Amino acid sequence: MAATPTLAVAAALVLLLASAPATAAPDHRCLSGGRDNTIHLEWRWLDDGRADVRYAGHSERLPLRRVSEQTTVLDEDRPYQFDTVWEERVDGRINGHYTLSTQGARIYSFSYVRARDGRRTDFDEDVNAFQDDGCHW
């Protein structure tokens, strides 16, 4: 029994869509911090639950691993607050930790603590640097 033209077209469409690359961009935020807000970074949440960070002036992204997460219900009619800690490793060694507090789409606090000396750098969201394809400073 031969397939009908409609069935053949539908099957071809399914195969085409299945082989197409995903076009959804990861969720990202642009942040600035340090003395006079001179340190700029792009934070990305990836689809698989991981995250990475890229500093302005650098092309490489540093992969991050979530080491803790605490969820708080502040009000039943509002989004949950998520407090997470992410570990940054460079050449297999812990380089530092990022601490992030979010509620819905908002970042309420973001900081980085360098492992070598415990130096803390606080960041604020930089909405002026945000572009759909990444952060532009």
Side-chain angles (χ1 to χ4, degrees):
M1 176 178 214
T4 64
T6 305
L7 184 58
V9 169
L13 183 58
V14 167
L15 288 173
L16 179 65
L17 291 174
S19 64
T23 57
D27 187 10
H28 69 279
R29 296 293 188 282
C30 307
L31 299 119
S32 294
R35 185 176 300 169
D36 300 325
N37 284 329
T38 56
I39 303 171
H40 307 290
L41 65 85
E42 177 181 283
W43 174 277
R44 292 191 319 170
W45 287 277
L46 305 173
D47 290 339
D48 60 4
R50 294 179 303 125
D52 66 24
V53 65
R54 180 182 59 87
Y55 283 85
H58 299 274
S59 60
E60 70 191 72
R61 295 189 175 281
L62 301 171
L64 305 175
R65 184 177 70 87
R66 185 175 45 218
V67 293
S68 71
E69 180 175 274
Q70 180 180 355
T71 305
T72 306
V73 178
L74 300 174
D75 185 336
E76 289 190 29
D77 295 334
R78 305 279 303 151
Y80 291 178
Q81 176 176 314
F82 294 96
D83 298 305
T84 55
V85 176
W86 299 81
E87 182 179 82
E88 174 188 86
R89 288 183 172 264
V90 174
D91 297 327
R93 296 177 54 199
I94 295 175
N95 200 48
H97 290 89
Y98 296 89
T99 303
L100 174 65
S101 181
T102 61
Q103 185 182 20
R106 302 270 330 253
I107 292 179
Y108 284 99
S109 68
F110 186 98
S111 64
Y112 175 75
V113 176
R114 191 167 49 192
R116 163 172 48 125
D117 58 9
R119 182 176 175 190
R120 178 184 165 131
T121 303
D122 293 314
F123 291 84
D124 293 307
E125 197 161 3
D126 187 347
V127 294
N128 294 325
F130 185 89
Q131 300 292 319
D132 287 340
D133 64 341
C135 301
H136 296 264
W137 289 280

